[in-house]
Amino acid sequence: MDSVLFRCLPHASSHTAGGDFCRTRHCAAISYASSYGLNASCNKRKVQNEYNLRLRKPSLNHHYKGIGGGYTFQKYDMKFVVKATSEKSFGSESQAFDPKSVSDSVKNSLDAFYRFSRPHTVIGTALSIISVSLLAVEKISDISPLFFTGVLEAVVAALFMNIYIVGLNQLSDVEIDKINKPYLPLASGEYSFGTGVAIVSSFSILSFGLSWIVGSWPLFWALFVSFVLGTAYSINVPLLRWKRFAVLAAMCILAVRAVIVQLAFFLHMQTHVYKRPPVFSRPLIFATAFMSFFSVVIALFKDIPDIEGDKVFGIQSFSVRLGQKPVFWTCVTLLEIAYGVALLVGASSPCLWSKIFTGLGHAVLAAILWYQAKSVDLKSKASITSFYMFIWKLFYAEYLLIPFVR
């Protein structure tokens, strides 16, 4: 519009007739401009009012197209920010209350704790206590609610202490386990060091607390000796961390698995539950002797798959000092000797059913052990680890046979 006015003004001074015509056009242009300006102003105010009214509406999905590009941009910009915030909030809330997400979180937590507790040791502890408790049974009437209560007290307290011992070992071996057992929660980072300390402390308190409530001195001493030896085995302080020394490490495991478990838990049932005088029966002596062999084998064999990390951190296990192959076949030989002794014990039993179960059972286990040992690839860590787990299965099987020794 301004360009029309400026183009006409110069011609007004040079041409009369043209000037009149131009003046006429000039006036008309001014009149039109004024009229258009008023209309544009009205339209602008109308658009502004309409925009303001619509801006107050709660709906976020309303679409508005105005003449002024600035209004349209501001409207859409505000709409975008509000909508993004809303979607993020709704998304977070939906994820927080998603049942599948909660279920996965619970499963992951349980799986981490399962690995932290070292389940093969938990199963071994539970089976050994149940088996030894059955040695205190003298007649059918002894299998009563009192028996099950006594066994439950012993098993739960011992499992709490078992978790303390294996957990403390992991706390002391985080760097070693990053090489040997990277799947453990502390080594993998699933558990922080503080979380591990909290779990270990809690379970040790629970174990001693339960033994105090039960009031059984054999149970208390079983837990206390296990606590002391388990701490001395793992904790990295001067004069302790006995796992660094092969003989001391083997003696710790032998004392707990072979002596404490057999004698203390048997006496818990014999003296505390049944209120009978302490006795050391033939089956109890056999169980202690046989498990002494087995505990030595476990103490030696558990270091065979871990030789890499032990070398790096200066753990002088028999596997590091002598080599994997000699230690492997020493373990197999010791177990075969133990099975041979068990066959003789079974054959000398006055009970026919004891002869059958004890003799046949140990003969079968000895044959399976030899067959499995011949197929192990000593150059493969996976193969050695698998055989170590097989040793624990033989350990479980032995506790199924011990109650038949009479």
Side-chain angles (χ1 to χ4, degrees):
M1 181 177 64
D2 294 336
S3 62
V4 173
L5 293 176
F6 288 127
R7 277 198 304 270
C8 289
L9 287 176
H11 293 287
S13 59
S14 57
H15 299 286
T16 304
D20 292 336
F21 175 74
C22 190
R23 281 193 296 271
T24 302
R25 290 181 61 187
H26 171 67
C27 293
I30 292 174
S31 175
Y32 174 78
S34 300
S35 173
Y36 180 83
L38 289 174
N39 291 335
S41 177
C42 291
N43 287 337
K44 183 176 181 180
R45 283 196 299 273
K46 182 177 179 182
V47 168
Q48 178 68 51
N49 291 335
E50 183 179 355
Y51 170 77
N52 291 337
L53 288 173
R54 296 190 180 192
L55 194 61
R56 296 191 190 102
K57 289 187 178 182
S59 172
L60 295 176
N61 295 322
H62 182 73
H63 297 281
Y64 169 71
K65 293 182 181 179
I67 296 175
Y71 301 131
T72 305
F73 173 77
Q74 292 174 3
K75 168 72 176 178
Y76 277 76
D77 183 63
M78 184 202 71
K79 177 180 176 183
F80 172 77
V81 172
V82 172
K83 187 172 182 181
T85 305
S86 175
E87 285 179 353
K88 182 178 180 180
S89 175
F90 291 153
S92 300
E93 185 176 346
S94 174
Q95 185 177 4
F97 292 99
D98 183 10
K100 188 176 185 301
S101 176
V102 173
S103 175
D104 290 343
S105 177
V106 171
K107 287 179 181 178
N108 291 337
S109 299
L110 291 175
D111 178 65
F113 182 75
Y114 175 81
R115 284 179 279 118
F116 182 80
S117 65
R118 308 297 280 146
H120 62 281
T121 64
V122 168
I123 296 170
T125 298
L127 275 178
S128 62
I129 293 173
I130 294 171
S131 178
V132 171
S133 297
L134 287 170
L135 293 180
V137 174
E138 296 178 356
K139 49 187 181 294
I140 296 298
S141 60
D142 286 344
I143 307 294
S144 63
L146 187 65
F147 169 83
F148 290 107
T149 301
V151 170
L152 183 63
E153 292 167 347
V155 168
V156 174
L159 290 185
F160 287 163
M161 185 55 64
N162 189 93
I163 292 173
Y164 162 78
I165 292 172
V166 298
L168 181 65
N169 187 55
Q170 291 173 66
L171 286 171
S172 303
D173 287 356
V174 174
E175 297 303 320
I176 298 177
D177 286 340
K178 287 179 180 179
I179 300 173
N180 293 336
K181 303 179 184 75
Y183 54 85
L184 294 178
L186 284 168
S188 67
E190 293 173 84
Y191 280 176
S192 66
F193 190 84
T195 300
V197 170
I199 294 174
V200 164
S201 303
S202 299
F203 276 93
S204 64
I205 294 170
L206 286 171
S207 182
F208 284 119
L210 181 56
S211 72
W212 180 79
I213 293 171
V214 171
S216 169
W217 280 108
L219 178 59
F220 170 80
W221 284 112
L223 299 174
F224 180 74
V225 174
S226 298
F227 175 86
V228 171
L229 293 178
T231 302
Y233 178 87
S234 296
I235 196 166
N236 194 8
V237 298
L239 301 180
L240 297 181
R241 193 161 173 79
W242 291 352
K243 69 177 297 178
R244 293 176 297 170
F245 313 104
V247 175
L248 284 176
M251 292 303 295
C252 284
I253 296 174
L254 173 66
V256 173
R257 289 287 177 188
V259 180
I260 300 301
V261 169
Q262 319 307 320
L263 300 182
F265 289 105
F266 172 82
L267 292 175
H268 164 71
M269 297 299 296
Q270 182 77 3
T271 63
H272 176 75
V273 176
Y274 291 130
K275 309 299 182 184
R276 296 168 182 162
V279 294
F280 296 94
S281 61
R282 181 172 179 267
L284 179 61
I285 295 171
F286 166 79
T288 305
F290 189 94
M291 284 305 167
S292 295
F293 272 86
F294 225 123
S295 297
V296 170
V297 169
I298 289 176
L300 295 176
F301 206 101
K302 74 177 190 60
D303 296 324
I304 299 177
D306 298 340
I307 192 170
E308 294 179 11
D310 289 349
K311 283 181 178 178
V312 172
F313 290 91
I315 305 298
Q316 294 299 310
S317 66
F318 281 112
S319 296
V320 171
R321 295 166 61 183
L322 304 176
Q324 290 174 304
K325 186 174 181 179
V327 175
F328 175 86
W329 286 110
T330 298
C331 291
V332 173
T333 302
L334 286 174
L335 273 186
E336 293 291 356
I337 291 172
Y339 285 134
V341 173
L343 282 170
L344 295 176
V345 171
S348 63
S349 173
C351 302
L352 179 61
W353 56 268
S354 179
K355 289 178 184 284
I356 295 173
F357 281 104
T358 307
L360 183 61
H362 286 101
V364 169
L365 293 179
I368 294 174
L369 169 64
W370 187 256
Y371 175 78
Q372 291 290 335
K374 296 292 286 183
S375 62
V376 174
D377 179 8
L378 294 175
K379 296 180 181 179
S380 169
K381 181 178 179 179
S383 180
I384 297 172
T385 303
S386 176
F387 189 78
Y388 176 58
M389 290 296 105
F390 171 72
I391 293 292
W392 275 95
K393 292 175 183 176
L394 294 178
F395 183 79
Y396 307 152
E398 185 58 35
Y399 274 115
L400 296 178
L401 291 175
I402 283 176
F404 294 104
V405 177
R406 297 294 172 180

